[in-house]
Amino acid sequence: MDRAKIEAGVSLILEGIGEDPQRPGLVGTPRRVADMYEDIFVGIGAPDPAELLVAMDGDNHREMVIIRDIDFYSVCEHHLLPFAGMAHVAYIPNKDGVITGISKLARVVRQVAARPQLQERITSEVADAIVRALHPAGALVLIQAEHLCMSMRGVRIAGARTVTSAVRGIIESHDATRAEAFALINTPR
C-alpha cells in the first residue's frame, strides 16, 4: 500500500467536503485512515484463497459439512462504504471423503472479503475456491449482508439485507440435497 497517497487523498477529500484537514479533530485522520486501509484491505494481493483449504490427512467424511454465521466485513467497490453480514458455507466431500479444517472456510470468506468487493463476487469466489481446493461433490455459499451504500445514502433503507448464493455440483443439480443444505443453514439456533 502507498500510505502517502492514501493520506494525501484523504486530505483532499476533507478539503473537498469543506473541512479543514488541520483542525484539531482531523489532524491525524489521514494517518488513521491509512492504518485502517492496511487492516481492512489485507486481501488485496493475497494468494489464491483455495490455498487456505488444505486437506486433512487421514481424516475423511462423506456427509455434508456446514459452517454457519461466519461474520465478515467488506467495502463496496462502487461507493467505498462498508457492508457487513454473515456467510454460510456448505460442502459435500468427494468420494474420497476429503475434508478441510472448518476454520479454514472462515478464513477464505474473510480473505476474499478483505478488499473492495461486490457481495455477489465474494459468494462466487468462495464457492469456486472450495471447488478448486477440495473437489467436493457439491458446494454452497449463502451470504446475507447489510450495505451502508443503501442504508445511509441513496434509498436509505436501514436494515435491508442482500442475500446471494452460489451453488455447485450435486447441491446445485439435486433438489433434495439443495433443500437439505438450505434447511440446515436456516435451522434456528
Side-chain angles (χ1 to χ4, degrees), residues 1-11 30-31 34 38:
M1 281 212 185
D2 188 331
R3 293 182 57 88
K5 280 188 180 179
I6 295 169
E7 290 182 31
V10 171
S11 290
R31 177 192 45 77
E38 279 188 335

Side-chain angles (χ1 to χ4, degrees), residues 16 20 33 59-60 62 78 83 85 87 89 92 97 107 111 118 132-133 140 164 167 171 176 179-180:
D20 175 8
V33 171
D59 287 312
N60 61 59
R62 296 293 312 274
H78 294 150
F83 63 97
V89 178
I92 299 172
R107 286 190 178 115
Q111 177 181 306
L118 298 175
R132 282 194 312 280
L140 179 144
T164 53
V167 188
I171 299 175
E180 176 188 1

